[in-house]
């Protein structure tokens, strides 16, 4: 069991920061045969990622929402997140294929959702909590005198996000 860290703490991180939320919505609780395979796939993925230092995976928090479990993940790169998601030799891609096959047989039984955020700035504070969230995934530091206010932490919380070129969409032109 992790210990409570007393005092005012925040995180420190320098680099591209991606926050990825992923979860499942269990719509038919009485049918574990439909939702349990998806539920059990996530711990395997998290174990795989936690042991692969080159994956870009920084850490995670498991949470329980109104519809079911979800995970907040922290990544060092959007490219590494997408590389993991599409790799046929790692846990995610085969699990996603199995989920889609099962979902076609029982539409609406289980929902899967995700949201991806490329973070330009991040501010955090943790007062007398166990290590969690961004500091658990990055670096835990004490709130200094210059970071006493949320605005100051936010202003100094820049991450090194590499500007990306927007994806050009080809306009259809009718003759």
């Amino acid at each position: 069991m992790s210990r409570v860290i007393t005092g005012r703490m925040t995180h420190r991180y320098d680099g591209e920061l991606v926050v990825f939320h992923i979860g499942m919505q269990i719509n038919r609780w009485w049918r574990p045969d439909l939702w349990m395979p998806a539920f059990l796939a996530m711990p395997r993925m998290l174990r795989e990622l936690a042991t692969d230092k080159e994956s870009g995976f920084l850490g995670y928090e498991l949470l329980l929402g109104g519809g079911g479990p979800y995970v907040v993940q922290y990544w060092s790169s959007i490219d590494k997140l997408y590389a993991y998601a599409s790799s046929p030799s790692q846990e995610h891609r085969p699990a996603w294929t199995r989920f889609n096959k099962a979902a076609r047989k029982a539409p609406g039984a289980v929902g899967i959702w995700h949201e991806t955020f490329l973070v330009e700035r991040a501010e955090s504070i943790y007062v007398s909590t166990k290590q969690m969230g961004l500091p658990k995934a990055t670096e835990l530091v004490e709130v200094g005198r210059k970071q006493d206010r949320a605005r100051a932490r936010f202003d100094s919380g820049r991450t090194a996000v590499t500007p990306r070129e927007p994806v050009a969409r080809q306009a259809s032109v009718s003759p």
Side-chain angles (χ1 to χ4, degrees), residues 57-75:
F57 183 69
L58 299 173
Y60 68 94
E61 288 294 323
L62 292 170
L63 303 165
L64 187 59
Y70 69 100
V71 182
V72 177
Q73 297 180 2
Y74 303 97
W75 289 78

Side-chain angles (χ1 to χ4, degrees), residues 1-7 9 126-131 140:
M1 182 176 228
S2 58
R3 66 178 179 84
V4 171
I5 301 166
T6 57
M9 307 303 286
Y126 302 83
V127 181
S128 296
T129 67
K130 295 176 182 178
Q131 195 165 1
L140 178 71

Side-chain angles (χ1 to χ4, degrees), residues 8-174:
R8 295 163 44 98
M9 307 303 286
T10 188
H11 78 282
R12 179 174 25 226
Y13 182 72
D14 182 27
E16 185 172 309
L17 179 62
V18 176
V19 178
F20 180 69
H21 294 202
I22 184 164
M24 66 185 294
Q25 186 171 333
I26 302 171
N27 300 322
R28 297 184 190 149
W29 284 96
W30 62 93
R31 293 293 309 271
D33 58 308
L34 300 175
W35 57 263
M36 189 63 79
F39 180 80
L40 294 175
M42 184 56 71
R44 288 192 304 270
M45 288 182 249
L46 294 172
R47 274 192 304 277
E48 176 179 61
L49 287 164
T51 60
D52 181 0
K53 300 301 177 198
E54 300 300 312
S55 69
F57 183 69
L58 299 173
Y60 68 94
E61 288 294 323
L62 292 170
L63 303 165
L64 187 59
Y70 69 100
V71 182
V72 177
Q73 297 180 2
Y74 303 97
W75 289 78
S76 67
S77 160
I78 195 78
D79 293 332
K80 289 184 176 187
L81 167 63
Y82 290 156
Y84 176 74
S86 62
S87 173
S89 64
Q90 294 182 289
E91 290 285 337
H92 176 266
R93 192 72 202 159
W96 183 239
T97 300
R98 286 189 305 272
F99 170 78
N100 282 315
K101 185 177 178 182
R104 283 190 292 279
K105 292 179 182 175
V110 181
I112 299 290
W113 60 272
H114 79 254
E115 301 171 344
T116 308
F117 306 93
L118 182 59
V119 180
E120 179 182 330
R121 292 179 190 221
E123 181 274 327
S124 65
I125 190 159
Y126 302 83
V127 181
S128 296
T129 67
K130 295 176 182 178
Q131 195 165 1
M132 60 182 281
L134 274 171
K136 183 178 171 188
T138 60
E139 181 183 0
L140 178 71
V141 294
E142 193 168 351
V143 171
R145 186 176 202 121
K146 291 181 181 180
Q147 295 179 318
D148 189 49
R149 300 270 185 235
R151 183 61 185 213
R153 287 188 305 277
F154 184 76
D155 288 344
S156 69
R158 260 192 203 285
T159 61
V161 174
T162 307
R164 295 182 174 276
E165 292 295 319
V167 176
R169 296 184 185 243
Q170 188 169 359
S172 53
V173 180
S174 302

